[in-house]
Amino acid sequence: EIVLTQSPGTLSLSPGERVTLSCRASQSISGNSLAWYQQNPGQAPRLLIYGASSRATGIPDRFSGSGSGTDFSLTISRLEPEDFAVYYCHLSGSSPLTFGGGTKVEIK
Amino acid sequence: QVQLVQSGAEVKKPGASVTVSCKTSGYSFAGYYIHWVRQAPGQGLEWMGRIIPSSGGTAYAQKFQGRVTVTWDTSISSAYMELSSLRSDDTAVYFCAREFVDRTAMIEYYYNYYGMDVWGQGTTVTVSS
């Protein structure tokens, strides 16, 4: 079973800063199946990125995804107040599917 | 518009079973998967299983094998997730979500996955004696 490890667990940042979140797979995966989600407390997750680098409908261009093989990342070019949330990477594809443990981006 | 509407909160005793429904509307289910994901209080997201409505094909996380069953009722465009032998650590919010999958490639490794773009509102299941 493939394990996705996200780092760091928590980031304390200020609005306007640039941030890059990491997601590392325990073995090489197809980028076609790597997605990123944002979740705010009490809400369902929101799809940000699919296929490692494609933005979902309605997602601002300050969000970008990249990576291949075992190393993937999500970059927010300039943090807006609504971006402070928890971010999860997710491996879809043939089972078993799995989520990373999440990275919390909090206001400094 | 596209909606996934889940059934209401449940309170169950240990050892019982629970079934959560997910009614879809506003789109054709062809090409889409329906996933079930749960989140225990204060914890991360956990994938449980999925169904391909067009074929009925299912896949489950190993952790839940034998305890979870996902089904689809085409007549009412609804998915169901049944979890049996409930324990206190099954207390969580359960979500359904759809994902479009392009399966035109001959080999599954080359399918294109478009992410879970629409989610249900979540169903709280509490397991307590």
Side-chain angles (χ1 to χ4, degrees):
Chain A
E1 181 173 327
I2 298 173
V3 175
L4 298 180
T5 301
Q6 291 188 243
S7 60
T10 303
L11 279 168
S12 297
L13 298 164
S14 300
E17 287 196 84
R18 177 186 179 92
V19 60
T20 296
L21 311 181
S22 170
C23 176
R24 177 162 291 177
S26 57
Q27 58 187 272
S28 183
I29 63 175
S30 168
N32 293 345
S33 53
L34 196 285
W36 289 90
Y37 297 85
Q38 175 194 66
Q39 189 181 33
N40 286 297
Q43 297 184 15
R46 174 194 182 197
L47 175 65
L48 299 175
I49 300 287
Y50 65 90
S53 60
S54 297
R55 267 188 304 277
T57 302
I59 301 303
D61 60 7
R62 64 179 182 273
F63 291 93
S64 63
S66 64
S68 64
T70 59
D71 292 309
F72 297 84
S73 61
L74 173 72
T75 297
I76 309 172
S77 61
R78 187 178 172 84
L79 281 166
E80 298 289 339
E82 61 268 28
D83 299 338
F84 291 91
V86 180
Y87 293 84
Y88 295 94
C89 59
H90 171 61
L91 172 65
S92 194
S94 54
S95 59
L97 283 64
T98 187
F99 285 92
T103 292
K104 182 178 182 180
V105 178
E106 63 179 22
I107 298 177
K108 190 173 185 178
Chain B
Q1 78 275 28
V2 177
Q3 284 189 300
L4 276 62
V5 179
Q6 299 181 221
S7 49
E10 302 265 12
V11 178
K12 296 291 183 180
K13 293 193 182 302
S17 297
V18 67
T19 298
V20 180
S21 67
C22 172
K23 180 165 178 54
T24 72
S25 62
Y27 74 102
S28 169
F29 62 77
Y32 285 91
Y33 292 9
I34 295 290
H35 296 275
W36 287 92
V37 175
R38 78 176 187 180
Q39 187 168 39
Q43 302 301 308
L45 302 172
E46 184 173 34
W47 181 78
M48 299 180 68
R50 62 95 169 129
I51 189 164
I52 306 173
S54 60
S55 67
T58 56
Y60 302 113
Q62 187 170 9
K63 174 178 178 177
F64 300 102
Q65 287 279 0
R67 280 211 306 144
V68 69
T69 304
V70 177
T71 56
W72 172 260
D73 186 336
T74 297
S75 67
I76 55 172
S77 299
S78 293
Y80 300 88
M81 186 282 300
E82 180 185 18
L83 186 62
S84 62
S85 303
L86 289 169
R87 307 185 290 256
S88 58
D89 62 359
D90 290 318
T91 294
V93 177
Y94 290 75
F95 295 100
C96 62
R98 75 165 194 178
E99 178 179 31
F100 183 75
V101 180
D102 177 2
R103 298 192 290 162
T104 54
M106 296 296 290
I107 301 173
E108 189 175 12
Y109 182 85
Y110 296 109
Y111 289 177
N112 288 310
Y113 298 86
Y114 287 76
M116 300 181 212
D117 66 334
V118 180
W119 292 67
Q121 80 276 21
T123 297
T124 299
V125 175
T126 303
V127 183
S128 174
S129 55

